[in-house]
Amino acid sequence: LTPPPPKRQFSAGLTILLWVLAVALLSLGATGLVFLRATSRVYDDASEAAQTVATAFQNALNLTPEIRVNSVVIIAATTPARELVTAKKQIRVRESSEQTWMHSTKTFVVEATFTARAGFDFQVPLTIQIDSRNLGLNADLPPPKILSVSMSDLRILQDENGLWNKLTAEDREKAFHSLEQKARDQFIESDLLAKAALEGEAMVREALEASAVQIGQPKSEPPQ
């Protein structure tokens, strides 16, 4: 008798191979399902952390930062108070204007106290980044800037016409403008913006610590 044709042996081998493939696919499917569930759970934890952080900032600073999980915006920024003042400085400034024409001299000297308030303008929002892998937080503040400059205790120390060279309203207006610009320049050259940045970072860190979520070092952009 001739041996059975190899067709049946091939068919049996194919059946075993199909069973192996089926088991492998089931295993991969189960692994994928576990992975998807784990990923979903991690994302849910990060979203819950975002809500906790938002509540902490509402309580501490009366604002909600833009909160992102893995660069995806989860909570949009809301800032009822558009500005956050974190530093204040006061200086006394004097401006002198003197002009001589045809040996006739007019003089105008004015002095005032200026108060500057510096901090953060949330037209550029405060951003909190949450890493879903370890729930680590990083805060990015907008650049600190001088938010307002006010003048008080204005004194005109000298308002003197020349014999035929008279002071005009334009002369006085120009001196007042120069006085204010001098004050602004002095504020910018001072340590006001650096202090505003440090205080802002401290306030943000305190709010993050209140959320009881792992945090990184909050940082602000260079001053404007």
Side-chain angles (χ1 to χ4, degrees):
L1 294 175
T2 59
K7 184 177 181 180
R8 291 190 179 181
Q9 292 180 2
F10 176 77
S11 177
L14 180 60
T15 301
I16 293 172
L17 178 60
L18 289 174
W19 273 106
V20 170
L21 288 173
V23 171
L25 288 173
L26 287 172
S27 177
L28 286 173
T31 302
L33 184 60
V34 170
F35 176 78
L36 287 174
R37 287 178 177 175
T39 302
S40 177
R41 184 168 60 251
V42 167
Y43 192 81
D44 289 344
D45 289 345
S47 298
E48 184 178 344
Q51 292 292 340
T52 303
V53 170
T55 300
F57 272 85
Q58 279 289 345
N59 294 337
L61 302 177
N62 191 34
L63 62 87
T64 300
E66 180 180 279
I67 304 178
R68 303 181 179 187
V69 175
N70 300 341
S71 299
V72 177
V73 176
I74 299 298
I75 297 177
T78 57
T79 53
R82 198 187 62 161
E83 296 175 344
L84 177 65
V85 177
T86 59
K88 186 168 70 172
K89 191 178 185 69
Q90 203 171 67
I91 58 174
R92 188 80 181 166
V93 183
R94 178 180 295 187
E95 176 66 15
S96 300
S97 173
E98 184 177 277
Q99 185 192 53
T100 300
W101 178 68
M102 298 289 291
H103 302 287
S104 177
T105 301
K106 59 182 177 181
T107 305
F108 187 73
V109 181
V110 63
E111 185 178 78
T113 297
F114 288 87
T115 303
R117 292 168 176 80
F120 301 91
D121 183 346
F122 289 120
Q123 286 184 329
V124 179
L126 165 63
T127 303
I128 307 295
Q129 298 276 358
I130 300 180
D131 188 336
S132 65
R133 294 169 298 178
N134 55 15
L135 300 187
L137 303 183
N138 283 294
D140 294 315
L141 281 164
K145 62 192 299 185
I146 293 176
L147 301 173
S148 67
V149 175
S150 60
M151 181 176 66
S152 62
D153 192 21
L154 174 66
R155 298 181 184 181
I156 297 175
L157 304 179
Q158 192 171 357
D159 188 335
E160 185 177 327
N161 289 312
L163 191 59
W164 50 78
N165 188 17
K166 308 296 184 181
L167 283 166
T168 64
E170 184 180 358
D171 292 330
R172 295 181 178 92
E173 184 179 347
K174 184 178 179 180
F176 287 132
H177 177 77
S178 296
L179 181 73
E180 182 177 355
Q181 188 59 52
K182 183 181 287 187
R184 287 184 175 273
D185 291 343
Q186 289 186 26
F187 284 129
I188 290 172
E189 292 167 3
S190 73
D191 60 352
L192 177 62
L193 291 175
K195 286 183 175 179
L198 287 174
E199 183 62 25
E201 290 168 10
M203 293 170 73
V204 168
R205 173 167 284 280
E206 184 176 345
L208 290 174
E209 288 175 346
S211 70
V213 180
Q214 182 182 350
I215 60 174
Q217 178 67 35
K219 60 183 183 298
S220 62
E221 297 294 326
Q224 288 185 343

